[in-house]
Amino acid sequence: WNIITGLRYTYLRSDIMHDQYVGKQKIHYLGIPLKASYTFWDCRFINAYVSAGALFEMPLAAQIDGRQIDAPYQWSAGAGIGMQFEITRKLSIYVDPDLYYYFDTGSDIRPIRTDKPFSFTIPVGIRFTWHCIPRRRSANSWACFSSAFTPSISAYSNTTLLPVFSR
């Protein structure tokens, strides 16, 4: 079993429409994922695992047509399955496809995730293992600490129907 956490940056851009009004909505989020993973297959250089957890995202900046807006906080829950390919003892490449469900924020500001709450991503990245210690139960069992770099792209349709906002 492993616990996975870190930081995740997300940029959402949508074309918004309401009656004759057409504009652009941009929201920058910083997220903190918290997931648990379980390795169900471990070979010499390859292992496979399943994961599940939650993601909390807070808005860094948001605007509609250059006008600042107050974007909502965003919660989501997700699950995935992944594989890791060990290049050296400290360097691995991994693929970690996952499916997230984004909960409705209840806000008048409607990110694309309000209309399309499911998101499927296929993160591919490089994992650096920087510290391992043996566990007490087995000489072949290790507890390791890792860092990862994971560029990822999520696919969404980018047109959202929104009410016009006024302050």
Side-chain angles (χ1 to χ4, degrees):
W1 285 94
N2 297 299
I3 299 295
I4 301 166
T5 191
L7 294 174
R8 178 174 163 178
Y9 170 78
T10 303
Y11 172 70
L12 298 176
R13 184 195 133 332
S14 299
D15 294 325
I16 56 174
M17 297 183 311
H18 181 71
D19 294 335
Q20 300 297 327
Y21 177 76
V22 176
K24 294 196 183 312
Q25 175 180 273
K26 300 174 183 177
I27 304 176
H28 301 264
Y29 280 107
L30 182 62
I32 302 171
L34 181 60
K35 297 185 344 181
S37 73
Y38 174 75
T39 302
F40 63 87
W41 185 64
D42 196 356
C43 190
R44 184 178 170 122
F45 299 108
I46 300 172
N47 64 51
Y49 52 91
V50 292
S51 63
L55 172 66
F56 170 73
E57 292 180 299
M58 54 195 152
L60 298 174
Q63 54 183 260
I64 293 178
D65 289 337
R67 193 178 85 227
Q68 295 298 316
I69 57 173
D70 292 324
Y73 291 96
Q74 184 80 59
W75 282 96
S76 61
I81 186 166
M83 290 190 78
Q84 176 173 295
F85 307 94
E86 191 176 284
I87 297 169
T88 69
R89 185 175 169 131
K90 296 196 176 272
L91 180 67
S92 302
I93 294 174
Y94 68 96
V95 59
D96 196 4
D98 52 24
L99 179 67
Y100 273 90
Y101 177 81
Y102 291 87
F103 300 103
D104 190 346
T105 63
S107 171
D108 288 339
I109 306 297
R110 295 174 55 90
I112 187 69
R113 296 169 173 167
T114 302
D115 294 332
K116 301 183 190 265
F118 286 98
S119 170
F120 178 73
T121 61
I122 306 177
V124 175
I126 299 170
R127 184 172 288 140
F128 302 97
T129 302
W130 46 274
H131 185 65
C132 289
I133 55 175
R135 293 183 182 158
R136 292 182 186 159
R137 287 185 233 144
S138 168
N140 294 327
S141 181
W142 296 82
C144 297
F145 301 92
S146 302
S147 300
F149 172 71
T150 311
S152 175
I153 295 177
S154 298
Y156 285 107
S157 167
N158 70 344
T159 301
T160 306
L161 299 175
L162 295 174
V164 175
F165 304 106
S166 60
R167 280 194 178 222

